[in-house]
Amino acid sequence: MSARTAGGRDPGLQPERTRLAWRRTTLSATVAAVLAAKTALQGGARPAGAVAAALCCALWLCFLLVAHRRIRALTASSTPAALAPRYAAAAALCAVATAVCGAALVI
Amino acid sequence: MIEFARNLRLWFVPQEIRREGGTPDYRFSLANERTFLAWLRTALALIGGGFAVDQFLPDLRWGWRVGLALSLLAAGVLCSLRAVNHWVRCERAMRRGEDLPVSRFPALLGLLVAVVAVAMVVVVLVGWEG
């Protein structure tokens, strides 16, 4: 590729920027998961609340796993392959499931 | 709707997307991925906002509190589903060398957030008086 420095590094630092975007997104997911856990455990540990909190934690771990694998793929190569659709779908479905959990808790 | 169902298949069958057109410059794919992640963060922020309304406005009447929280959570769900769908459509357009898809979703989301924000101001003011 013509747009490369002598070291083989992308001068626009695209893989790094994408990696940091994944990091920011995991931070957002962490905030959402903490708020979800607070909602779930409010007013004592009822069984339903505990289940919802555990579910939100599991979803957060799923999201971390997806992000971790993608970050590893991004750092492994200087011209990383495009994101696999199932990773994108998994990340988005984690967000959706957290929202559904939240809706069940709020009502 | 049929278009959406077809895109939904592409979410889980990555081979099909690779069958179309040629692989674009990896930088374009990464830019598309970052846009997807930015939309996903927006969705997560909306979901977090829904939880926050429920948690930090406890003096509101039940109906208002739950209504606001649910609308924010629903916006988060819509936003994250749309994020994947738009990412798939952009990826396919880039492979085929077509124009990127246009969308009225940003305008709709902006309007929805504005409405919820105004509702929240009204609700908080009225709630404090009563």
Side-chain angles (χ1 to χ4, degrees):
Chain A
M1 193 152 301
S2 57
R4 296 212 144 250
T5 57
R9 177 177 66 77
D10 179 349
L13 294 176
Q14 307 270 353
E16 285 79 0
R17 278 157 62 191
T18 312
R19 185 165 57 78
L20 290 173
W22 274 102
R23 280 270 169 259
R24 287 198 293 280
T25 312
T26 51
L27 273 177
S28 303
T30 308
V31 171
V34 166
L35 283 169
K38 186 177 184 314
T39 307
L41 297 177
Q42 164 202 44
R46 291 163 295 132
V51 168
L55 204 55
C56 285
C57 286
L59 288 167
W60 177 69
L61 284 176
C62 271
F63 188 84
L64 278 193
L65 182 72
V66 170
H68 178 71
R69 294 180 70 154
R70 181 59 186 155
I71 285 171
R72 288 240 322 242
L74 282 170
T75 43
S77 148
S78 59
T79 54
L83 176 67
R86 65 171 182 280
Y87 279 17
L93 289 181
C94 280
V96 169
T98 308
V100 170
C101 250
L105 282 170
V106 167
I107 288 173
Chain B
M1 212 58 224
I2 294 166
E3 177 68 15
F4 182 77
R6 227 160 57 80
N7 286 339
L8 198 68
R9 245 175 76 75
L10 285 181
W11 293 13
F12 299 102
V13 192
Q15 297 83 1
E16 249 176 59
I17 212 169
R18 290 217 180 116
R19 229 180 276 146
E20 299 190 45
T23 305
D25 187 333
Y26 77 101
R27 289 171 294 183
F28 298 160
S29 290
L30 290 182
N32 191 20
E33 182 176 342
R34 287 197 297 276
T35 309
F36 161 69
L37 289 173
W39 276 112
L40 198 59
R41 281 197 295 282
T42 308
L44 286 167
L46 285 167
I47 291 168
F51 283 122
V53 165
D54 183 52
Q55 284 293 299
F56 301 118
L57 294 175
D59 299 334
L60 284 185
R61 251 185 298 149
W62 185 84
W64 275 103
R65 188 163 54 87
V66 169
L68 279 175
L70 284 185
S71 61
L72 280 169
L73 288 171
V77 168
L78 272 182
C79 194
S80 52
L81 290 178
R82 187 265 177 189
V84 191
N85 196 44
H86 192 73
W87 174 79
V88 165
R89 285 173 67 199
C90 284
E91 199 72 12
R92 203 172 45 186
M94 287 194 299
R95 294 193 73 90
R96 287 175 177 170
E98 293 169 355
D99 287 344
L100 292 183
V102 291
S103 167
R104 66 177 78 85
F105 183 83
L108 290 178
L109 183 67
L111 284 177
L112 178 74
V113 170
V115 166
V116 169
V118 168
M120 231 170 236
V121 168
V122 169
V123 157
V124 170
L125 286 178
V126 172
W128 272 342
E129 278 172 8

